[in-house]
Amino acid sequence: LMVSKEEIMNLQLSDSGLKPLWKKAEDRVEAVDKAKNVVRYLVRNGLLYRKRTTAGKQETFQLVVPEKLRNKVLAVAHDSILGGHQGIRRTCDRVMTSFVWPGVQGDVTRYCRSCNICHSTTPRGRRSKIPHG
């Protein structure tokens, strides 16, 4: 992404949409997500992260992305050679391996659906045959 740690830190601190997450980190609030993982926000080296712990005690740290950097993350995950225009589910999985933000799944969906390359290469109007049985 070619963004310095200090720049990310400043953007996180100035992003009003992240204020509730900073508060959760400060208060050490823990929650359980739909997949029964324990989730909490914390600050490491001045940056805000979400820590997800599975039932098997596997930990994942995701950097909380400020609004001004979200399109860059989406572009790398979807448009780049590494992204390869793989669609909504794979792009979301790729993003959420390392990053998170409020509304990430909706943003990925909108980004992928607005991709001109995906629209021009995806076959439209075809219907598969109904299986006879």
Side-chain angles (χ1 to χ4, degrees):
L1 295 176
M2 304 303 293
V3 182
S4 71
K5 175 186 165 190
E6 290 73 24
E7 191 175 350
I8 295 170
M9 198 181 319
N10 290 333
L11 288 171
Q12 280 184 333
L13 287 167
S14 64
D15 188 332
S16 61
L18 301 183
K19 299 283 186 237
L21 305 183
W22 282 103
K23 179 81 171 116
K24 286 181 180 185
E26 183 182 310
D27 295 344
R28 298 176 185 253
V29 174
E30 283 191 356
V32 178
D33 68 9
K34 293 175 189 172
K36 308 259 190 272
N37 300 311
V38 176
V39 176
R40 73 184 201 94
Y41 292 88
L42 55 99
V43 179
R44 290 173 71 181
N45 301 319
L47 296 173
L48 182 63
Y49 286 87
R50 181 171 91 159
K51 177 183 171 187
R52 190 174 62 206
T53 309
T54 65
K57 304 296 181 201
Q58 182 180 358
E59 297 179 341
T60 305
F61 291 89
Q62 298 162 296
L63 179 67
V64 177
V65 180
E67 188 172 359
K68 290 185 178 178
L69 297 178
R70 292 174 189 170
N71 272 343
K72 284 186 179 186
V73 170
L74 290 168
V76 170
H78 181 73
D79 304 347
S80 72
I81 292 172
L82 295 174
H85 298 273
Q86 292 291 310
I88 294 168
R89 191 184 83 250
R90 287 186 178 166
T91 301
C92 198
D93 289 346
R94 184 170 287 114
V95 168
M96 293 186 69
T97 298
S98 303
F99 304 104
V100 73
W101 61 83
V104 64
Q105 291 176 331
D107 288 350
V108 169
T109 299
R110 283 185 290 282
Y111 189 90
C112 292
R113 286 185 178 159
S114 70
C115 176
N116 290 329
I117 292 171
C118 289
H119 279 290
S120 66
T121 59
T122 303
R124 298 280 178 224
R126 281 197 196 158
R127 300 214 175 157
S128 58
K129 293 181 180 178
I130 298 173
H132 296 284

